[in-house]
Amino acid sequence: MISVSELFKVGIGPSSSHTVGPMKAAYAFILGLGDRLEQVVRVRVDLFGSLAWTGKGHGTEKAVLLGLAGEQPDTVDPDAAEAMIARIEAHRMLSLDGRHPICLVPERDVIFDMLTETPEHPNTLAFTAYDAAGETLCHERWCSIGGGFVVREAFAPAAVIDGPSAPYEFRSGIDLLRIGEETGLRIPEIVRTNEYAVRPKEEVDAHITRVIDTMMRCIDRGLSTEGILPGGLNVRRRAVSLLRKMESEQARNDRPPTDTMDRVSLFAIAVNEENAAGGRVVTAPTNGAAGVVPAVLRYYRDMVPGSSEAGMQDFILAACAIGALFKMNASISGAEVGCQGEVGVACSMAAAGLAAAMGADNARIENAAEIGMEHHLGMTCDPVAGLVQIPCIERNAFGAIKAINAASLAMRGDGTHHISLDRVIATMRQTGADMQSKYKETSQGGLAVNFTEC
């Protein structure tokens, strides 16, 4: 079971696969050294595939250094992190796990290898720890497989762990619909029952509350912060100026017909500007697509009559079910299947979540998710300069609008449709496999090579 705490992770921008994942992998490597930590005098990190091609723009080097220093994505202070990186670069020193100082020269010890093939996953990184004699103490290769999930490369099958199991295990949309018919439970209730079966109710509820709160706070920060986004493209934050124009129109009683749509776009832009700046966001299911679910959730909270806290929780739980299906049966990694696996999946999740929050039955929830992805099939991942800015920020706004449209279409129907969610997920996986690698988060194709920097 992919838990709500796994799919919705609190972390920092700009990328779940290139920032959150590598930070987690680096931290896991250091913890795995155990008593050997005191023998380490040097650590080398090699970045391969997409991590090498777009790692500089995605802050991968900084993320790895923070992980080696003992920081974790859900607890690191984004502001303090910048100061920590500055000290490492200035003094050429890093304290492993915050307690064992070594010499570390980023330009020597963090290697962006754009030539070596990645046999298991396009987001691969290797860690090597050396002792005073220059001998290898430990060498590990990790894969950042999207959404902040990390695994050891060629990892052995996980051992069976005794413990509580989920009463309603599902691996497909058909499973979800069947369970609903057999039990009378709606999809949010199926997920909630599973969550409560494997971890304390208080822990589950607290995480859902934290996810919602972090999403709303992220929107609010984005709506109140101005400036230029880092990375060299000189992209100016525009959420604040957009909000001012909307408030001026409201004061003049001159709202355009597109006002609701404009505000949803604004919410998504606010989140993704925060993400691009390295701020606190929630993977939903990734950082590059972090604005879609919060924008649609905010739409539900602020603009849907009868919205409630219970509805917002149902939103998150239903979205989790859909995101889990994509994670299990396809991918949520832009480096593996293109942006259809990020913004496309986020749109599908948000559409299902909104339908669930508005009281839709399971058939309509599944239909909303299917519509959301169907119209993102084939979307490439081509970030300009390897930064999660162009076209990523606006792309989230369009994903949010599509999600609302998908939920609306599904709820106006009776739940029957020709193409099932499972078939769309399979199609997305096949499309990603057929997509050329230059269109999968390498910045070697699409907009990334058709943009002239001035």
Side-chain angles (χ1 to χ4, degrees):
M1 184 183 90
I2 296 177
S3 168
V4 66
S5 62
E6 296 173 308
L7 196 68
F8 291 105
K9 300 182 184 74
V10 177
I12 61 171
S15 171
S16 49
S17 59
H18 290 57
T19 308
V20 175
M23 191 187 304
K24 291 174 63 178
Y27 181 70
F29 173 71
I30 292 303
L31 287 186
L33 289 171
D35 295 338
R36 295 174 293 173
L37 182 69
E38 300 298 325
Q39 303 174 46
V40 178
V41 299
R42 182 189 172 200
V43 172
R44 170 175 166 143
V45 183
D46 291 270
L47 305 173
F48 307 103
S50 179
L51 294 181
W53 283 104
T54 62
K56 289 187 181 294
H58 285 57
T60 304
E61 179 182 292
K62 295 179 181 179
V64 165
L65 297 181
L66 290 170
L68 294 176
E71 297 291 343
Q72 298 183 66
D74 62 332
T75 56
V76 64
D77 181 341
D79 295 326
E82 289 299 321
M84 184 182 300
I85 294 299
R87 288 195 299 271
I88 293 170
E89 293 175 342
H91 300 293
R92 299 295 197 254
M93 296 289 293
L94 181 148
S95 289
L96 297 177
D97 198 23
R99 54 192 174 90
H100 177 62
I102 64 169
C103 174
L104 191 143
V105 182
E107 56 267 30
R108 179 197 69 186
D109 298 323
V110 181
I111 310 301
F112 291 82
D113 185 340
M114 300 180 186
L115 300 177
T116 303
E117 295 293 326
T118 54
E120 298 293 334
H121 193 278
N123 291 331
T124 300
L125 62 167
F127 301 93
T128 309
Y130 303 94
D131 62 15
E135 298 294 325
T136 298
L137 282 170
C138 182
H139 176 78
E140 293 179 358
R141 288 171 65 92
W142 288 75
C143 298
S144 179
I145 60 175
F149 289 85
V150 292
V151 295
R152 291 279 295 274
E153 186 183 62
F155 61 94
V160 176
I161 301 175
D162 292 331
S165 60
Y168 303 122
E169 294 186 3
F170 59 88
R171 294 194 62 87
S172 67
I174 290 177
D175 286 346
L176 275 174
L177 295 176
R178 173 184 52 78
I179 292 168
E181 290 177 358
E182 293 174 352
T183 64
L185 297 175
R186 295 174 67 240
I187 289 174
E189 295 167 337
I190 294 171
V191 178
R192 182 182 287 108
T193 302
N194 284 345
E195 294 283 342
Y196 287 172
V198 299
R199 55 185 53 83
K201 175 181 182 297
E202 295 75 17
E203 180 182 322
V204 174
D205 292 345
H207 182 75
I208 294 173
T209 298
R210 185 187 184 200
V211 164
I212 294 172
D213 181 63
T214 303
M215 288 179 173
M216 297 302 104
R217 288 178 181 271
C218 185
I219 292 174
D220 292 337
R221 285 197 309 273
L223 294 178
S224 60
T225 308
E226 299 181 89
I228 304 294
L229 294 174
L233 283 180
N234 294 318
V235 174
R236 181 175 296 278
R237 286 180 181 247
R238 51 179 166 161
V240 173
S241 62
L242 288 172
L243 177 61
R244 287 174 181 154
K245 290 178 181 178
M246 292 179 189
E247 290 175 337
S248 176
E249 290 167 349
Q250 183 175 357
R252 300 194 309 268
N253 196 26
D254 187 29
R255 289 187 181 184
T258 58
D259 183 71
T260 298
M261 183 172 67
D262 294 343
R263 289 180 184 274
V264 173
S265 296
L266 171 66
F267 299 151
I269 289 171
V271 171
N272 283 87
E273 288 180 346
E274 277 295 297
N275 178 64
R280 177 75 65 208
V281 298
V282 177
T283 61
T286 67
N287 282 30
V292 178
V293 169
V296 180
L297 186 63
R298 183 72 159 243
Y299 163 80
Y300 168 75
R301 192 195 76 174
D302 292 357
M303 303 177 193
V304 174
S307 62
S308 65
E309 288 294 327
M312 295 179 76
Q313 293 174 7
D314 282 353
F315 188 118
I316 295 297
L317 291 166
C320 177
I322 302 306
L325 293 181
F326 280 99
K327 180 71 179 67
M328 288 187 285
N329 299 308
S331 174
I332 56 173
S333 169
E336 196 169 21
V337 295
C339 196
Q340 59 175 355
E342 297 200 33
V343 170
V345 173
C347 176
S348 185
M349 292 167 60
L354 179 59
M358 295 175 66
D361 59 19
N362 290 346
R364 289 179 174 86
I365 295 172
E366 185 262 359
N367 189 194
E370 180 272 326
I371 295 172
M373 171 51 74
E374 184 177 340
H375 303 291
H376 281 90
L377 290 172
M379 182 178 284
T380 60
C381 183
D382 50 353
V384 173
L387 298 169
V388 192
Q389 297 177 19
I390 303 172
C392 317
I393 295 172
E394 286 184 352
R395 189 168 283 175
N396 275 256
F398 278 80
I401 297 300
K402 284 186 179 182
I404 295 171
N405 193 22
S408 177
L409 286 172
M411 293 187 70
R412 289 180 180 275
D414 61 4
T416 60
H417 50 107
H418 292 285
I419 305 295
S420 70
L421 174 61
D422 294 332
R423 289 186 181 275
V424 167
I425 292 175
T427 302
M428 190 269 269
R429 183 186 68 246
Q430 294 158 3
T431 303
D434 292 339
M435 191 181 292
Q436 294 183 43
S437 62
K438 68 180 182 179
Y439 296 116
K440 294 191 282 190
E441 209 164 3
T442 60
S443 289
Q444 297 179 66
L447 288 175
V449 298
N450 287 297
F451 172 83
T452 302
E453 296 186 53
C454 300

